[in-house]
Amino acid sequence: MIRRLVATALLLGPAFIAVADEGRPAPGEANPGGATTQPRLATANAFSASVANIGFDDKMTFALGRAIFRKLWVSSPSSTTASDGLGPLYNARSCLRCHLKNGRGKPPEGPDDNAVSLFLRLSIPARNDADLVTLQRHGVVADTRYGTQLQPFAVPGMTAEGQLHISYTETRVELSGGDEAWLRSPTYRILEPAYGPLQSDMQLSPRIAPPMPGLGLLEQISEADILSQADPQDRDGDGISGRPNRVWDQARQTEALGRFGWKAGNPSLAQQNSSALQSDIGIGNPMFPAATGDCTAVQAVCLQAPDGNTPLQDGLEASQQMLDWLLFYSRHLAVSARPDAADPEVQAGRQLFHDSGCASCHRPHFVTAETPQLPALSRQPIWPYTDLLLHDMGEGLADHRPEFAATGREWRTAPLWGIGQTQTVSGHNYYLHDGRARSLLEAILWHGGEATAARQRVISMPARQRTQLIRFLESL
């Protein structure tokens, strides 16, 4: 009977699959990317392989995209016509600097560690009608002096905007059985602001670089399937009220479903890539052509700095061809198999994951849409463990910075596939949007808001069950 239910759910596509009571994973669960899945590697390159089902010609395109992803941009003018245009203010010189090995970023581990893979988004509250129009197109109102994000680096002759400083306070959490955990709560400050005093109502939102495997598969989940999981009014009374973010689609010049970024602020990988290229590195491109990156009107020297625009790149710093290669690469990074999916301890943890209510937001299963232009990613049964919707995560995780429809307490459900490989790929175990959690258990204990009941069930579990739950997450 259960096998028939699972088979039916697979055919229906987005339906949530109930946990089999036979103590075995559902069919296909060990290959979370369907036919795209690559074998699980115990090396730092585990997130760097292309999807398994592309042909030789596509592997060449993937390699070209990887070269763009790794390209170190240099300041203008320079002797190169394909790599200049850096900044003038910037967060990193390449995509790879933030997304090291395509893995998860981290906060600085001390005063001598840089914050390349953690940056601060900046904004101010809307103050007039013009700001309300800006909110519709950009989701936030940029700070008039410092723009939309803090730029801690600058090309020669320019001054960086300032430096991120983090301090932590620790709070003890009692767990059942006499166990305990400690949560570190961060406080963020901007040191040495170089372009004038910071506004008292400036909104800060720290973000680490998210892991990249499986992004193309997430993009292929149909909008209808995502919206079918939404329950903004919590009509079913389960305490979970996932909401879609509605954002601005720059290419189509219309509103669209947001699905990428910590608050689902971008509707497509093309827009995610293009906005990061311009805002993080300062590279003008077809979708966001300003060669001055995130420079503001009060940063006059920045606005007058030489740019890297060239006829060889369509009159820009990065051509459409570069963006196309980069898009192919980011779409076709593979997720890894789960060889331990049938392990009894993993299965016990899987049951606890569902019983605790975690799967209400971390939806296990979808089937991707049919997209003839992307045959490798089409109609794949996938297990990303996300609903791609916004949820109130409580005051503890709130950044108090709205982004399009997302409130200051809402975050998009993060995909969990690959989370157990964080140490292997990235060399650390820091989780959540700003890396404050130092273990998977701490990440769970930070969950509040709609996830409060699930967190409390984990706190009340016998210690062995918490170990089994973590074992399941480590298998993903």
PDB file of all heavy atoms in Angstrom, residues 144-168:
ATOM      1  N   THR A 144      21.581  56.283   1.016  1.00  0.00           N
ATOM      2  CA  THR A 144      22.011  57.341   0.105  1.00  0.00           C
ATOM      3  C   THR A 144      23.526  57.489   0.042  1.00  0.00           C
ATOM      4  O   THR A 144      24.059  57.966  -0.969  1.00  0.00           O
ATOM      5  CB  THR A 144      21.378  58.679   0.526  1.00  0.00           C
ATOM      6  OG1 THR A 144      21.643  58.905   1.923  1.00  0.00           O
ATOM      7  CG2 THR A 144      19.871  58.638   0.297  1.00  0.00           C
ATOM      8  N   ARG A 145      24.247  57.079   1.072  1.00  0.00           N
ATOM      9  CA  ARG A 145      25.711  57.196   1.054  1.00  0.00           C
ATOM     10  C   ARG A 145      26.390  55.879   0.680  1.00  0.00           C
ATOM     11  O   ARG A 145      27.387  55.873  -0.038  1.00  0.00           O
ATOM     12  CB  ARG A 145      26.227  57.634   2.422  1.00  0.00           C
ATOM     13  CG  ARG A 145      25.899  59.064   2.794  1.00  0.00           C
ATOM     14  CD  ARG A 145      26.509  59.423   4.145  1.00  0.00           C
ATOM     15  NE  ARG A 145      26.176  60.784   4.521  1.00  0.00           N
ATOM     16  CZ  ARG A 145      26.862  61.859   4.117  1.00  0.00           C
ATOM     17  NH1 ARG A 145      27.937  61.693   3.364  1.00  0.00           N
ATOM     18  NH2 ARG A 145      26.490  63.065   4.486  1.00  0.00           N
ATOM     19  N   TYR A 146      25.873  54.760   1.173  1.00  0.00           N
ATOM     20  CA  TYR A 146      26.601  53.493   1.074  1.00  0.00           C
ATOM     21  C   TYR A 146      25.931  52.469   0.157  1.00  0.00           C
ATOM     22  O   TYR A 146      26.422  51.354   0.027  1.00  0.00           O
ATOM     23  CB  TYR A 146      26.826  52.916   2.475  1.00  0.00           C
ATOM     24  CG  TYR A 146      27.794  53.762   3.277  1.00  0.00           C
ATOM     25  CD1 TYR A 146      27.339  54.809   4.076  1.00  0.00           C
ATOM     26  CD2 TYR A 146      29.158  53.537   3.196  1.00  0.00           C
ATOM     27  CE1 TYR A 146      28.225  55.603   4.782  1.00  0.00           C
ATOM     28  CE2 TYR A 146      30.053  54.327   3.908  1.00  0.00           C
ATOM     29  CZ  TYR A 146      29.576  55.357   4.692  1.00  0.00           C
ATOM     30  OH  TYR A 146      30.471  56.142   5.384  1.00  0.00           O
ATOM     31  N   GLY A 147      24.811  52.819  -0.463  1.00  0.00           N
ATOM     32  CA  GLY A 147      24.202  51.929  -1.442  1.00  0.00           C
ATOM     33  C   GLY A 147      23.484  50.747  -0.820  1.00  0.00           C
ATOM     34  O   GLY A 147      22.929  50.838   0.278  1.00  0.00           O
ATOM     35  N   THR A 148      23.525  49.611  -1.514  1.00  0.00           N
ATOM     36  CA  THR A 148      22.736  48.447  -1.101  1.00  0.00           C
ATOM     37  C   THR A 148      23.554  47.405  -0.337  1.00  0.00           C
ATOM     38  O   THR A 148      22.985  46.445   0.183  1.00  0.00           O
ATOM     39  CB  THR A 148      22.109  47.753  -2.313  1.00  0.00           C
ATOM     40  OG1 THR A 148      23.152  47.364  -3.224  1.00  0.00           O
ATOM     41  CG2 THR A 148      21.132  48.677  -3.024  1.00  0.00           C
ATOM     42  N   GLN A 149      24.889  47.557  -0.318  1.00  0.00           N
ATOM     43  CA  GLN A 149      25.678  46.633   0.487  1.00  0.00           C
ATOM     44  C   GLN A 149      27.029  47.263   0.813  1.00  0.00           C
ATOM     45  O   GLN A 149      27.535  48.106   0.068  1.00  0.00           O
ATOM     46  CB  GLN A 149      25.866  45.287  -0.209  1.00  0.00           C
ATOM     47  CG  GLN A 149      26.531  45.319  -1.567  1.00  0.00           C
ATOM     48  CD  GLN A 149      26.361  44.003  -2.309  1.00  0.00           C
ATOM     49  OE1 GLN A 149      25.230  43.562  -2.572  1.00  0.00           O
ATOM     50  NE2 GLN A 149      27.458  43.340  -2.615  1.00  0.00           N
ATOM     51  N   LEU A 150      27.572  46.869   1.941  1.00  0.00           N
ATOM     52  CA  LEU A 150      28.859  47.408   2.373  1.00  0.00           C
ATOM     53  C   LEU A 150      29.963  46.845   1.492  1.00  0.00           C
ATOM     54  O   LEU A 150      30.095  45.623   1.339  1.00  0.00           O
ATOM     55  CB  LEU A 150      29.108  47.041   3.839  1.00  0.00           C
ATOM     56  CG  LEU A 150      30.422  47.558   4.423  1.00  0.00           C
ATOM     57  CD1 LEU A 150      30.383  49.084   4.568  1.00  0.00           C
ATOM     58  CD2 LEU A 150      30.705  46.897   5.772  1.00  0.00           C
ATOM     59  N   GLN A 151      30.787  47.727   0.937  1.00  0.00           N
ATOM     60  CA  GLN A 151      31.902  47.314   0.076  1.00  0.00           C
ATOM     61  C   GLN A 151      33.203  47.492   0.857  1.00  0.00           C
ATOM     62  O   GLN A 151      33.693  48.616   0.990  1.00  0.00           O
ATOM     63  CB  GLN A 151      31.931  48.183  -1.188  1.00  0.00           C
ATOM     64  CG  GLN A 151      30.590  48.331  -1.882  1.00  0.00           C
ATOM     65  CD  GLN A 151      30.268  47.187  -2.825  1.00  0.00           C
ATOM     66  OE1 GLN A 151      31.096  46.300  -3.026  1.00  0.00           O
ATOM     67  NE2 GLN A 151      29.083  47.199  -3.395  1.00  0.00           N
ATOM     68  N   PRO A 152      33.785  46.427   1.365  1.00  0.00           N
ATOM     69  CA  PRO A 152      34.976  46.551   2.214  1.00  0.00           C
ATOM     70  C   PRO A 152      36.291  46.629   1.432  1.00  0.00           C
ATOM     71  O   PRO A 152      37.356  46.714   2.046  1.00  0.00           O
ATOM     72  CB  PRO A 152      34.932  45.265   3.044  1.00  0.00           C
ATOM     73  CG  PRO A 152      34.258  44.272   2.153  1.00  0.00           C
ATOM     74  CD  PRO A 152      33.272  45.046   1.329  1.00  0.00           C
ATOM     75  N   PHE A 153      36.232  46.610   0.092  1.00  0.00           N
ATOM     76  CA  PHE A 153      37.437  46.683  -0.727  1.00  0.00           C
ATOM     77  C   PHE A 153      37.249  47.761  -1.797  1.00  0.00           C
ATOM     78  O   PHE A 153      36.121  48.102  -2.168  1.00  0.00           O
ATOM     79  CB  PHE A 153      37.731  45.340  -1.403  1.00  0.00           C
ATOM     80  CG  PHE A 153      37.917  44.201  -0.436  1.00  0.00           C
ATOM     81  CD1 PHE A 153      36.917  43.253  -0.267  1.00  0.00           C
ATOM     82  CD2 PHE A 153      39.081  44.093   0.316  1.00  0.00           C
ATOM     83  CE1 PHE A 153      37.076  42.205   0.621  1.00  0.00           C
ATOM     84  CE2 PHE A 153      39.245  43.050   1.210  1.00  0.00           C
ATOM     85  CZ  PHE A 153      38.245  42.101   1.365  1.00  0.00           C
ATOM     86  N   ALA A 154      38.390  48.272  -2.302  1.00  0.00           N
ATOM     87  CA  ALA A 154      38.359  49.288  -3.353  1.00  0.00           C
ATOM     88  C   ALA A 154      39.596  49.148  -4.214  1.00  0.00           C
ATOM     89  O   ALA A 154      40.636  48.649  -3.773  1.00  0.00           O
ATOM     90  CB  ALA A 154      38.294  50.687  -2.740  1.00  0.00           C
ATOM     91  N   VAL A 155      39.486  49.580  -5.479  1.00  0.00           N
ATOM     92  CA  VAL A 155      40.642  49.549  -6.379  1.00  0.00           C
ATOM     93  C   VAL A 155      41.631  50.622  -5.932  1.00  0.00           C
ATOM     94  O   VAL A 155      41.280  51.533  -5.163  1.00  0.00           O
ATOM     95  CB  VAL A 155      40.200  49.782  -7.841  1.00  0.00           C
ATOM     96  CG1 VAL A 155      39.221  48.706  -8.279  1.00  0.00           C
ATOM     97  CG2 VAL A 155      39.583  51.174  -8.012  1.00  0.00           C
ATOM     98  N   PRO A 156      42.888  50.567  -6.422  1.00  0.00           N
ATOM     99  CA  PRO A 156      43.885  51.580  -6.037  1.00  0.00           C
ATOM    100  C   PRO A 156      43.383  52.995  -6.331  1.00  0.00           C
ATOM    101  O   PRO A 156      42.787  53.256  -7.371  1.00  0.00           O
ATOM    102  CB  PRO A 156      45.086  51.209  -6.913  1.00  0.00           C
ATOM    103  CG  PRO A 156      44.955  49.736  -7.125  1.00  0.00           C
ATOM    104  CD  PRO A 156      43.479  49.491  -7.244  1.00  0.00           C
ATOM    105  N   GLY A 157      43.610  53.882  -5.373  1.00  0.00           N
ATOM    106  CA  GLY A 157      43.163  55.256  -5.517  1.00  0.00           C
ATOM    107  C   GLY A 157      41.795  55.520  -4.935  1.00  0.00           C
ATOM    108  O   GLY A 157      41.369  56.676  -4.830  1.00  0.00           O
ATOM    109  N   MET A 158      41.103  54.467  -4.563  1.00  0.00           N
ATOM    110  CA  MET A 158      39.770  54.599  -3.964  1.00  0.00           C
ATOM    111  C   MET A 158      39.829  54.170  -2.510  1.00  0.00           C
ATOM    112  O   MET A 158      40.737  53.443  -2.093  1.00  0.00           O
ATOM    113  CB  MET A 158      38.757  53.730  -4.707  1.00  0.00           C
ATOM    114  CG  MET A 158      38.399  54.234  -6.095  1.00  0.00           C
ATOM    115  SD  MET A 158      37.288  55.643  -6.020  1.00  0.00           S
ATOM    116  CE  MET A 158      35.941  54.940  -5.086  1.00  0.00           C
ATOM    117  N   THR A 159      38.861  54.585  -1.734  1.00  0.00           N
ATOM    118  CA  THR A 159      38.768  54.199  -0.331  1.00  0.00           C
ATOM    119  C   THR A 159      37.585  53.267  -0.126  1.00  0.00           C
ATOM    120  O   THR A 159      36.472  53.578  -0.567  1.00  0.00           O
ATOM    121  CB  THR A 159      38.586  55.446   0.559  1.00  0.00           C
ATOM    122  OG1 THR A 159      39.675  56.348   0.315  1.00  0.00           O
ATOM    123  CG2 THR A 159      38.561  55.058   2.031  1.00  0.00           C
ATOM    124  N   ALA A 160      37.834  52.147   0.509  1.00  0.00           N
ATOM    125  CA  ALA A 160      36.742  51.209   0.814  1.00  0.00           C
ATOM    126  C   ALA A 160      35.720  51.862   1.728  1.00  0.00           C
ATOM    127  O   ALA A 160      36.025  52.817   2.447  1.00  0.00           O
ATOM    128  CB  ALA A 160      37.312  49.949   1.451  1.00  0.00           C
ATOM    129  N   GLU A 161      34.501  51.324   1.696  1.00  0.00           N
ATOM    130  CA  GLU A 161      33.421  51.981   2.449  1.00  0.00           C
ATOM    131  C   GLU A 161      33.544  51.793   3.955  1.00  0.00           C
ATOM    132  O   GLU A 161      33.105  52.654   4.729  1.00  0.00           O
ATOM    133  CB  GLU A 161      32.071  51.433   1.974  1.00  0.00           C
ATOM    134  CG  GLU A 161      31.709  51.885   0.574  1.00  0.00           C
ATOM    135  CD  GLU A 161      30.324  51.462   0.153  1.00  0.00           C
ATOM    136  OE1 GLU A 161      29.904  50.340   0.514  1.00  0.00           O
ATOM    137  OE2 GLU A 161      29.662  52.234  -0.548  1.00  0.00           O
ATOM    138  N   GLY A 162      34.103  50.715   4.399  1.00  0.00           N
ATOM    139  CA  GLY A 162      34.208  50.451   5.829  1.00  0.00           C
ATOM    140  C   GLY A 162      34.428  48.965   6.047  1.00  0.00           C
ATOM    141  O   GLY A 162      34.542  48.187   5.085  1.00  0.00           O
ATOM    142  N   GLN A 163      34.494  48.570   7.303  1.00  0.00           N
ATOM    143  CA  GLN A 163      34.763  47.179   7.633  1.00  0.00           C
ATOM    144  C   GLN A 163      33.671  46.625   8.542  1.00  0.00           C
ATOM    145  O   GLN A 163      33.167  47.319   9.422  1.00  0.00           O
ATOM    146  CB  GLN A 163      36.129  47.042   8.326  1.00  0.00           C
ATOM    147  CG  GLN A 163      37.286  47.553   7.480  1.00  0.00           C
ATOM    148  CD  GLN A 163      37.397  46.847   6.123  1.00  0.00           C
ATOM    149  OE1 GLN A 163      37.252  45.627   6.038  1.00  0.00           O
ATOM    150  NE2 GLN A 163      37.645  47.603   5.063  1.00  0.00           N
ATOM    151  N   LEU A 164      33.333  45.389   8.290  1.00  0.00           N
ATOM    152  CA  LEU A 164      32.325  44.696   9.097  1.00  0.00           C
ATOM    153  C   LEU A 164      32.948  44.200  10.397  1.00  0.00           C
ATOM    154  O   LEU A 164      34.033  43.601  10.389  1.00  0.00           O
ATOM    155  CB  LEU A 164      31.771  43.520   8.291  1.00  0.00           C
ATOM    156  CG  LEU A 164      30.944  42.467   9.042  1.00  0.00           C
ATOM    157  CD1 LEU A 164      29.673  43.084   9.592  1.00  0.00           C
ATOM    158  CD2 LEU A 164      30.619  41.290   8.119  1.00  0.00           C
ATOM    159  N   HIS A 165      32.278  44.439  11.497  1.00  0.00           N
ATOM    160  CA  HIS A 165      32.727  43.927  12.796  1.00  0.00           C
ATOM    161  C   HIS A 165      31.592  43.139  13.427  1.00  0.00           C
ATOM    162  O   HIS A 165      30.438  43.585  13.438  1.00  0.00           O
ATOM    163  CB  HIS A 165      33.138  45.084  13.721  1.00  0.00           C
ATOM    164  CG  HIS A 165      33.590  44.620  15.075  1.00  0.00           C
ATOM    165  ND1 HIS A 165      32.742  44.481  16.154  1.00  0.00           N
ATOM    166  CD2 HIS A 165      34.817  44.246  15.512  1.00  0.00           C
ATOM    167  CE1 HIS A 165      33.425  44.047  17.194  1.00  0.00           C
ATOM    168  NE2 HIS A 165      34.686  43.900  16.840  1.00  0.00           N
ATOM    169  N   ILE A 166      31.917  41.969  13.950  1.00  0.00           N
ATOM    170  CA  ILE A 166      30.916  41.108  14.599  1.00  0.00           C
ATOM    171  C   ILE A 166      31.360  40.822  16.013  1.00  0.00           C
ATOM    172  O   ILE A 166      32.527  40.521  16.263  1.00  0.00           O
ATOM    173  CB  ILE A 166      30.763  39.758  13.867  1.00  0.00           C
ATOM    174  CG1 ILE A 166      30.581  39.952  12.362  1.00  0.00           C
ATOM    175  CG2 ILE A 166      29.585  38.968  14.427  1.00  0.00           C
ATOM    176  CD1 ILE A 166      30.621  38.658  11.582  1.00  0.00           C
ATOM    177  N   SER A 167      30.435  40.911  16.938  1.00  0.00           N
ATOM    178  CA  SER A 167      30.672  40.430  18.304  1.00  0.00           C
ATOM    179  C   SER A 167      29.526  39.500  18.680  1.00  0.00           C
ATOM    180  O   SER A 167      28.425  39.598  18.119  1.00  0.00           O
ATOM    181  CB  SER A 167      30.766  41.604  19.291  1.00  0.00           C
ATOM    182  OG  SER A 167      29.572  42.366  19.255  1.00  0.00           O
ATOM    183  N   TYR A 168      29.791  38.585  19.590  1.00  0.00           N
ATOM    184  CA  TYR A 168      28.788  37.575  19.938  1.00  0.00           C
ATOM    185  C   TYR A 168      28.520  37.574  21.447  1.00  0.00           C
ATOM    186  O   TYR A 168      29.418  37.837  22.248  1.00  0.00           O
ATOM    187  CB  TYR A 168      29.280  36.173  19.544  1.00  0.00           C
ATOM    188  CG  TYR A 168      29.415  35.937  18.058  1.00  0.00           C
ATOM    189  CD1 TYR A 168      30.670  35.997  17.439  1.00  0.00           C
ATOM    190  CD2 TYR A 168      28.310  35.642  17.278  1.00  0.00           C
ATOM    191  CE1 TYR A 168      30.805  35.766  16.076  1.00  0.00           C
ATOM    192  CE2 TYR A 168      28.439  35.410  15.919  1.00  0.00           C
ATOM    193  CZ  TYR A 168      29.683  35.468  15.319  1.00  0.00           C
ATOM    194  OH  TYR A 168      29.817  35.246  13.973  1.00  0.00           O
TER     195      TYR A 168
END
